[in-house]
Amino acid sequence: MSGAEQSGHLPLAEGAEFDLVRVLLFEWGTRARGIGDDAAVLDVPAGERLVASTDASVEGVHFRRDWLSPEEIGGRAAAAALSDLAAMAATPLGMLLALGLPGAWREDVREIARGVGAMAERCGCPIVGGNLSRATELSLTVTVLGGTRRPLRRSGARPGDTLYVTGRLGGPGAALRALQSGSAPSRADMLRFAAPVPRLREARWLAERGAHAAVDISDGLLADAAHVARASAVTLEIDLAGVPRVDQVSPQQAATSGEEYELLVAMPAAVDVPAFVSRFGCDLTAIGRVKPFDGESVRVDGRPAPRQGHDHFG
Amino acid sequence: MSGAEQSGHLPLAEGAEFDLVRVLLFEWGTRARGIGDDAAVLDVPAGERLVASTDASVEGVHFRRDWLSPEEIGGRAAAAALSDLAAMAATPLGMLLALGLPGAWREDVREIARGVGAMAERCGCPIVGGNLSRATELSLTVTVLGGTRRPLRRSGARPGDTLYVTGRLGGPGAALRALQSGSAPSRADMLRFAAPVPRLREARWLAERGAHAAVDISDGLLADAAHVARASAVTLEIDLAGVPRVDQVSPQQAATSGEEYELLVAMPAAVDVPAFVSRFGCDLTAIGRVKPFDGESVRVDGRPAPRQGHDHFG
């Protein structure tokens, strides 16, 4: 327990449930902090606002056991939650993991924890608390807390803004199509599907350069563009051919691929794209513009975009 | 959507999933705030620290459908999470609800939301975000955020402190025993089981009067006393006959009844119990004392307490 003590955890009681918690804490080492009280205690830096989001990854809904390793499931769940902090241009302060754990997954706890821990470390986000419960399906509900002086909201897009998207789209959708048809995705597509990267530093860089609005592309570019358009009461015009995409994916597929965790950002002025690319090793592409609301939320090449997006309850 | 607009929510997209979110927001009215962005934005009052906890209530683990109404399930899940803020003597700032919703529960969403909303209102805690996912079993993962100048921790108990417990114990355990044996619990026991009340104001009152440590009694008095003892590296001595209990429950049953959501508090000096009782309409009872660690975490009437507590994975 020396690692645990270094991290300021409280001593844990005996029993199988706490043994599982000990497995998590051993795997996380110093990435977990102050575990074991009724609640975590954190400090939001002076002058910053608190940003909070909770995001669930559920077996059979968000992932399938035969598609992803336990480590990937853990990393992806953490990344999906942290991506919401990126969309707000917030710096991570802490993460809480509520794990619903069926008996059939108990042996995989260490590997799940490894994936969560690696993503937490990559994003500089300590793991400060959580909850462990029996369940009939595996679920990871990740709550992330962050701080920022000026949150970047969906509602800030203004006519005249240019729309930029980070990265290249279409990989997760292509991987999903391959998996669903029983064929093997390309290595690159599978990496995009299994190991997405929250664009935290990229978002803060863009926010510092005056970004008006942002959203992370979890439902697909067109669906999330519609969220920004509605929230900002504007029309978003997207040039489909300009949407950056991975190999062997059509512009339409790229524009509707979900779980990208790239960012769509409305910028009031042109961005120094080469500086962004050289700093982050990540594409940044102008794909359209913000117009006064003309009766349509999103236009693609001038035509109204069809309704898009995943709907778990449709 | 006028209620939603009053509360500063963003406009929501179309579709069955967002229709369910609209049901939640309609039910919550102004108790929900600023829903619809990638994350919630909150402010921790100047000079206060952020306290955060996440707590899951899972069908078949924490409740059964035939035991509780959907409204009670919602209220109880929110109360269990808010009770962790009480244990830290924190004031609620916001709540996020991640709902795992099976098809068989979809018609009950409004009633579940009503229970969550009533508890949020009772505790002065706005609902600031959440997540909605399909699932095969109903689960409510509630994350609560609070603020406090001086968090009350499990680790602060000192030799010489007096141990106090709020309320009367044993009701939830008695209700559970009745339900499990197929008989009807008493109305009072069932109320304690189905509608627990987080002791938020009570905790702050005790913290202002110098409390050294607190824990909420979710695992049972003796099990949670052991948590305090281990965290504080002391021995807790409990006088079993002094444990306040509901009617027709033995002291032993009261001391091991889980999901009480009362508080066990270590106080350095005697408390004005009549002032507490008249202010909160809630009992406060001295049940023991804190001693230097003598090799046992908890002693009951001088004898080592047997290992206690719920263990979902035992």
Side-chain angles (χ1 to χ4, degrees), chain B residues 17 22-23 85 104 106 109 123 126 150 164 182 184 236 284 301:
Chain B
E17 186 169 345
R22 270 181 278 269
V23 169
L85 292 186
R106 204 174 309 177
V109 151
C123 296
R150 199 177 64 86
Y164 287 88
L236 264 55
L284 182 71
D301 298 337

Side-chain angles (χ1 to χ4, degrees), chain B residues 11-275:
Chain B
L12 295 171
E14 293 153 20
E17 186 169 345
F18 290 108
D19 286 344
L20 280 169
V21 175
R22 270 181 278 269
V23 169
L24 296 174
L25 294 184
F26 181 85
E27 183 58 43
W28 288 333
T30 54
R31 289 168 291 186
R33 286 186 205 154
I35 304 290
D37 218 319
D38 289 275
V41 179
L42 299 165
D43 293 300
V44 180
E48 292 194 4
R49 309 193 69 188
L50 169 63
V51 175
S53 179
T54 193
D55 198 81
S57 295
V58 180
E59 182 179 2
V61 179
H62 301 93
F63 59 85
R64 275 173 49 178
R65 185 174 197 148
D66 48 341
W67 291 354
L68 294 170
S69 72
E71 188 169 347
E72 287 168 338
I73 289 167
R76 200 161 165 272
L82 285 158
S83 180
D84 285 326
L85 292 186
M88 307 293 286
T91 301
L93 294 171
M95 174 192 299
L96 299 100
L97 170 65
L99 193 58
L101 191 65
W105 284 88
R106 204 174 309 177
E107 296 302 311
D108 301 298
V109 151
R110 175 159 301 181
E111 224 197 309
I112 293 169
R114 185 172 303 142
V116 173
M119 187 53 65
E121 177 154 15
R122 176 174 189 147
C123 296
C125 184
I127 301 162
V128 299
N131 188 86
L132 189 57
S133 172
R134 227 168 14 92
T136 57
E137 66 201 343
L138 181 68
S139 70
L140 292 85
T141 303
V142 180
T143 301
V144 285
L145 306 172
T148 180
R149 288 189 178 270
R150 199 177 64 86
L152 205 48
R153 297 176 184 272
R154 294 181 177 188
S155 53
R158 296 288 168 265
D161 289 352
T162 301
L163 295 171
Y164 287 88
V165 67
T166 62
R168 288 169 185 249
L169 307 183
L176 200 59
R177 281 191 299 278
L179 290 166
Q180 282 171 336
S181 70
S183 61
S186 78
R187 193 176 143 74
D189 289 346
M190 191 59 196
L191 203 65
R192 293 278 302 136
F193 176 71
V197 178
R199 299 295 187 192
L200 287 155
R201 293 189 308 137
E202 293 86 343
R204 292 199 297 273
W205 191 93
L206 291 165
E208 286 161 11
R209 279 150 190 84
H212 277 168
V215 69
D216 78 323
I217 302 173
S218 48
D219 293 343
L221 173 65
L222 296 186
D224 286 305
H227 296 153
V228 171
R230 285 166 178 270
S232 300
V234 295
T235 295
L236 264 55
E237 285 191 352
I238 292 173
D239 308 321
L240 193 58
V243 173
R245 56 191 205 271
V246 300
D247 293 344
Q248 302 187 323
V249 154
S250 73
Q252 185 63 31
Q253 288 170 332
T256 56
S257 169
E259 295 168 334
E260 289 283 349
Y261 305 115
E262 297 293 350
L263 299 176
L264 171 66
V265 185
M267 300 291 301
V271 178
D272 184 349
V273 170

Side-chain angles (χ1 to χ4, degrees), chain A residues 10-18 20 34 36-44 48-62 83-85 87-88 93 96-102 106 128-137 139 141 143 145 151-155 214-216 218-219 226-227 230-232 307 310-314, chain B residues 10-18 20 34 36-44 48-62 83-85 87-88 93 96-102 106 128-137 139 141 143 145 151-155 214-216 218-219 226-227 230-232 307 310-314:
Chain A
L10 297 182
L12 294 170
E14 293 153 19
E17 185 168 347
F18 289 109
L20 281 168
D37 218 320
D38 289 274
V41 179
L42 299 164
D43 292 300
V44 180
E48 292 193 4
R49 307 192 70 189
L50 169 64
V51 175
S53 179
T54 194
D55 198 80
S57 295
V58 180
E59 182 179 2
V61 179
H62 300 93
S83 181
D84 285 326
L85 292 186
M88 307 296 283
L93 294 171
L96 300 99
L97 169 65
L99 193 57
L101 190 66
R106 202 169 318 172
V128 298
N131 189 85
L132 187 59
S133 173
R134 227 167 15 93
T136 59
E137 66 202 343
S139 70
T141 303
T143 301
L145 307 172
L152 204 49
R153 297 174 183 272
R154 295 182 177 187
S155 54
V215 69
D216 79 322
S218 48
D219 293 344
H227 296 154
R230 285 166 179 270
S232 300
R307 194 188 138 221
H310 298 279
D311 190 333
H312 291 151
F313 296 92
Chain B
L10 297 182
L12 295 171
E14 293 153 20
E17 186 169 345
F18 290 108
L20 280 169
D37 218 319
D38 289 275
V41 179
L42 299 165
D43 293 300
V44 180
E48 292 194 4
R49 309 193 69 188
L50 169 63
V51 175
S53 179
T54 193
D55 198 81
S57 295
V58 180
E59 182 179 2
V61 179
H62 301 93
S83 180
D84 285 326
L85 292 186
M88 307 293 286
L93 294 171
L96 299 100
L97 170 65
L99 193 58
L101 191 65
R106 204 174 309 177
V128 299
N131 188 86
L132 189 57
S133 172
R134 227 168 14 92
T136 57
E137 66 201 343
S139 70
T141 303
T143 301
L145 306 172
L152 205 48
R153 297 176 184 272
R154 294 181 177 188
S155 53
V215 69
D216 78 323
S218 48
D219 293 343
H227 296 153
R230 285 166 178 270
S232 300
R307 197 188 133 219
H310 297 282
D311 190 333
H312 291 152
F313 294 92

Side-chain angles (χ1 to χ4, degrees), chain A residues 23-273:
Chain A
V23 168
L24 296 174
L25 294 184
F26 180 84
E27 183 57 43
W28 288 333
T30 53
R31 291 168 289 187
R33 286 187 205 156
I35 304 291
D37 218 320
D38 289 274
V41 179
L42 299 164
D43 292 300
V44 180
E48 292 193 4
R49 307 192 70 189
L50 169 64
V51 175
S53 179
T54 194
D55 198 80
S57 295
V58 180
E59 182 179 2
V61 179
H62 300 93
F63 61 85
R64 276 173 47 178
R65 185 174 195 148
D66 48 341
W67 291 354
L68 295 170
S69 71
E71 188 169 348
E72 287 168 338
I73 289 166
R76 200 160 165 272
L82 285 159
S83 181
D84 285 326
L85 292 186
M88 307 296 283
T91 300
L93 294 171
M95 174 192 298
L96 300 99
L97 169 65
L99 193 57
L101 190 66
W105 284 88
R106 202 169 318 172
E107 296 301 312
D108 302 298
V109 151
R110 176 158 299 181
E111 227 198 306
I112 293 169
R114 186 173 301 144
V116 172
M119 186 55 63
E121 177 153 16
R122 177 175 189 145
C123 297
C125 185
I127 302 162
V128 298
N131 189 85
L132 187 59
S133 173
R134 227 167 15 93
T136 59
E137 66 202 343
L138 181 68
S139 70
L140 291 85
T141 303
V142 181
T143 301
V144 286
L145 307 172
T148 180
R149 287 188 178 271
R150 200 177 62 85
L152 204 49
R153 297 174 183 272
R154 295 182 177 187
S155 54
R158 296 289 169 264
D161 288 352
T162 302
L163 296 171
Y164 287 89
V165 68
T166 61
R168 289 168 186 251
L169 308 183
L176 200 58
R177 282 192 300 278
L179 289 167
Q180 283 171 334
S181 70
S183 60
S186 78
R187 194 176 142 74
D189 290 347
M190 192 58 197
L191 203 64
R192 293 279 301 136
F193 176 71
V197 178
R199 299 297 187 191
L200 287 156
R201 292 188 308 137
E202 294 85 343
R204 293 199 297 272
W205 192 92
L206 291 164
E208 285 161 12
R209 279 148 190 83
H212 277 167
V215 69
D216 79 322
I217 302 173
S218 48
D219 293 344
L221 173 64
L222 297 185
D224 285 305
H227 296 154
V228 171
R230 285 166 179 270
S232 300
V234 295
T235 295
L236 264 53
E237 285 192 352
I238 291 172
D239 308 320
L240 194 57
V243 174
R245 57 192 204 272
V246 300
D247 293 344
Q248 301 187 323
V249 154
S250 73
Q252 185 64 32
Q253 287 171 332
T256 55
S257 170
E259 295 168 333
E260 291 282 350
Y261 305 115
E262 297 293 347
L263 299 175
L264 172 67
V265 185
M267 300 291 301
V271 178
D272 184 348
V273 170

